[in-house]
Amino acid sequence: MHFTIAHELDAPLDAVELAVLSPDLGPRLATRVASLESVVTVEHALRDGELLRVLRFQASAPLPIFRSYPVAKDAMSWEERSTYRLSDHASTWQVSPKEQWRSYFRSAGTYRLERLPQGRTRRRVEGDIEIRLHLLGPLVERLALAEVQRTYDAEADTLRELIRA
């Protein structure tokens, strides 16, 4: 399932980019998303105009469709690895669940900041989610995409907060 999520921010691209590069972004995001137990920065390295960031996410509960099933805690944990390039104000990202769950899930995409008139910035995230579950895959993809939307909405609020700080 392909998705595009865009937010417009009332700040110039340079200010938004500084917020995107902040090592505080992941931990602050965790406080804004009820379905997340934690977001831990595993790696945050800026070298040669590129930021390599690895965030480890731990969900607080499984998706609602799985609440009546015993879901292993590590099935609700994943890492997001991204490489942000200052030269084009964009990154590529991929989500990796724990090894034993990778055959069921794949997600990757791009993250881009765009200058808008009047000193504003658009943040556009495009990606694909693929969940390979017999019969339930498309339904679980839609539920997962709703969580992704909530998370990127919260990230936009977190960026606004970091810009004001």
Side-chain angles (χ1 to χ4, degrees), residues 51-67:
L51 172 67
L52 171 61
R53 177 171 24 217
V54 179
L55 298 175
R56 181 174 299 129
F57 291 77
Q58 177 63 58
S60 54
L63 290 171
I65 194 171
F66 295 119
R67 286 220 171 101

Side-chain angles (χ1 to χ4, degrees), residues 81-119:
R81 173 179 288 274
S82 63
T83 303
Y84 185 88
R85 294 168 308 285
L86 293 169
S87 62
D88 60 356
H89 314 291
S91 68
T92 54
W93 56 266
Q94 67 180 30
V95 174
S96 298
K98 299 270 185 175
E99 183 67 38
Q100 65 267 36
W101 308 109
R102 289 188 186 157
S103 64
Y104 300 103
F105 179 86
R106 185 191 70 76
S107 187
T110 60
Y111 184 111
R112 178 174 303 281
L113 299 178
E114 303 164 353
R115 286 184 206 280
L116 296 176
Q118 286 90 38

Side-chain angles (χ1 to χ4, degrees), residues 94-147:
Q94 67 180 30
V95 174
S96 298
K98 299 270 185 175
E99 183 67 38
Q100 65 267 36
W101 308 109
R102 289 188 186 157
S103 64
Y104 300 103
F105 179 86
R106 185 191 70 76
S107 187
T110 60
Y111 184 111
R112 178 174 303 281
L113 299 178
E114 303 164 353
R115 286 184 206 280
L116 296 176
Q118 286 90 38
R120 301 181 75 234
T121 303
R122 178 180 299 118
R123 194 254 347 243
R124 180 186 312 272
V125 181
E126 293 190 44
D128 294 289
I129 294 176
E130 181 183 0
I131 297 176
R132 294 178 290 279
L133 293 174
H134 188 65
L135 298 176
L136 291 177
L139 174 61
V140 175
E141 283 176 353
R142 287 192 298 277
L143 293 170
L145 184 54
E147 288 298 320

Side-chain angles (χ1 to χ4, degrees), residues 3-93:
F3 67 88
T4 300
I5 299 170
H7 290 91
E8 293 189 8
L9 304 164
D10 292 324
L13 187 140
D14 293 345
V16 175
E17 189 165 65
L18 283 174
V20 167
L21 297 173
S22 173
D24 295 332
L25 181 60
R28 283 191 185 204
L29 177 62
T31 66
R32 292 185 172 271
V33 182
S35 61
L36 291 176
E37 183 177 298
S38 65
V39 179
V40 175
T41 303
V42 175
E43 187 168 354
H44 189 273
L46 184 59
R47 285 186 215 99
D48 302 323
E50 292 188 346
L51 172 67
L52 171 61
R53 177 171 24 217
V54 179
L55 298 175
R56 181 174 299 129
F57 291 77
Q58 177 63 58
S60 54
L63 290 171
I65 194 171
F66 295 119
R67 286 220 171 101
S68 61
Y69 297 95
V71 177
K73 187 166 179 131
D74 68 348
M76 301 182 309
S77 178
W78 63 93
E79 287 187 354
E80 178 186 281
R81 173 179 288 274
S82 63
T83 303
Y84 185 88
R85 294 168 308 285
L86 293 169
S87 62
D88 60 356
H89 314 291
S91 68
T92 54
W93 56 266

